[in-house]
Amino acid sequence: MAVRKNQASLTATEKRNFVNALLELKKSGRYDGLVRTHNQFIMSDTDNGDRVGHRSPSFLPWHRQFLIQFEKELQTVDASVTLPYWDWTVDRTTTASIWGADFLGGNGRPRDAQVTTGPFAYSGGKWTVTVNVDSRPYLQREMGAGVAQLPTRAEVDSVLAMATYDMAPWNSSSNGFRNHLEGWRGVNLHNRVHVWMGGQMSSGVSPNDPVFWLHHCFIDKLWTEWQRAHPTSTYLPAAGTANVVDLGDTMRPWNNVTPADMLDHTRFYTYDR
């Protein structure tokens, strides 16, 4: 059983293995395929139309399956690798160890937001951005420019206290746990982190930045914490709801996975605490 760890507790070897697996997926072209998938869905998911990966109840199970798919891809390169998570309520500065040259590299430089340190710097020749929203071929970050502060643990706890998973109208205006975690309402958790990072992370091609996976791994972990805190609450809606994925409906692009299949993460992995 894979154990997903806090990135702050990874050994030097675990960091190196994770980075090397990422670089190999990028070299093979498989990584860019995942970027395209995410962009396709974030562009097509709308409040008043069909929505699968975002602005909808299936935001959490969709990304759980997306993370599982990515983790399996990494493990075809190195079977020892599992996805780490970034607890941005603790490691919340631009000088945190996650941004070290031995792991994800640092912030973008002021004049063009280009990341120039670490294994994903354009100058290293191993991380050219090809699925992009502009013509710049390099990874971009502008930490803290779009919003000053990352979410706090108190803000997280206020969302985890919400007892109902989701509710009508099942979109970005819903007043339930899923939408407050996704960040369209309330204290703004998931969305705020994307904006704080800036660069590609603030766009549909956000997986171009490897921190995307660590951020979403933490979002997934928060879902597991909510599930433990509210054992009698479950995924909603159950059935017969227009434009969204009900509990037993299949989710594109896989078409063989339902939200119900994603409720028990321990079938696939556990977290370190």
Side-chain angles (χ1 to χ4, degrees), residues 8-19:
S9 68
L10 296 180
T11 66
T13 298
E14 288 170 330
K15 288 182 179 181
R16 183 171 60 251
N17 290 345
F18 178 70
V19 167

Side-chain angles (χ1 to χ4, degrees), residues 214-226:
L214 284 73
H215 169 39
H216 271 276
C217 199
F218 188 53
I219 293 296
D220 184 77
K221 183 177 184 294
L222 294 180
W223 184 22
T224 71
E225 292 179 21
W226 180 86

Side-chain angles (χ1 to χ4, degrees), residues 70-105:
F70 176 62
E71 193 167 53
K72 287 179 178 177
E73 293 278 14
L74 292 173
Q75 290 167 351
T76 65
V77 177
D78 185 336
S80 72
V81 171
T82 57
L83 268 177
Y85 62 90
W86 169 33
D87 183 348
W88 27 254
T89 69
V90 175
D91 297 301
R92 50 191 298 105
T93 69
T94 58
T95 58
S97 62
I98 186 175
W99 313 121
D102 63 337
F103 199 33
L104 298 192

Side-chain angles (χ1 to χ4, degrees), residues 40-47 50-55:
Q40 172 192 344
F41 279 87
I42 205 168
M43 297 304 290
S44 63
D45 291 329
T46 63
D47 272 347
D50 187 50
R51 47 199 182 275
V52 180
H54 308 84
R55 299 171 176 265

Side-chain angles (χ1 to χ4, degrees), residues 19 93-108 115-121 139 141 143 197 209-211:
V19 167
T93 69
T94 58
T95 58
S97 62
I98 186 175
W99 313 121
D102 63 337
F103 199 33
L104 298 192
N107 199 7
V115 173
T116 60
T117 60
F120 309 106
L139 180 60
R141 292 175 181 154
M143 299 182 199
M197 283 298 307
D209 193 331
V211 78

Side-chain angles (χ1 to χ4, degrees), residues 141-159:
R141 292 175 181 154
E142 296 178 281
M143 299 182 199
V147 62
Q149 298 291 330
L150 289 163
T152 65
R153 186 68 212 191
E155 289 173 324
V156 166
D157 289 343
S158 72
V159 173

Side-chain angles (χ1 to χ4, degrees), residues 126-204:
K126 296 181 178 180
W127 202 261
T128 300
V129 174
T130 60
V131 185
N132 51 27
V133 294
D134 58 31
S135 60
R136 292 181 287 179
Y138 47 81
L139 180 60
Q140 303 157 47
R141 292 175 181 154
E142 296 178 281
M143 299 182 199
V147 62
Q149 298 291 330
L150 289 163
T152 65
R153 186 68 212 191
E155 289 173 324
V156 166
D157 289 343
S158 72
V159 173
L160 292 180
M162 303 182 76
T164 302
Y165 178 81
D166 209 344
M167 60 184 67
W170 318 107
N171 60 20
S172 69
S173 65
S174 299
N175 189 26
F177 163 72
R178 182 276 310 168
N179 198 36
H180 283 255
L181 179 58
E182 190 173 354
W184 299 108
R185 289 194 69 167
V187 294
N188 186 356
L189 299 182
H190 156 267
N191 288 349
R192 196 198 318 179
V193 178
H194 278 272
V195 175
W196 185 87
M197 283 298 307
Q200 283 93 359
M201 272 287 281
S202 62
S203 73

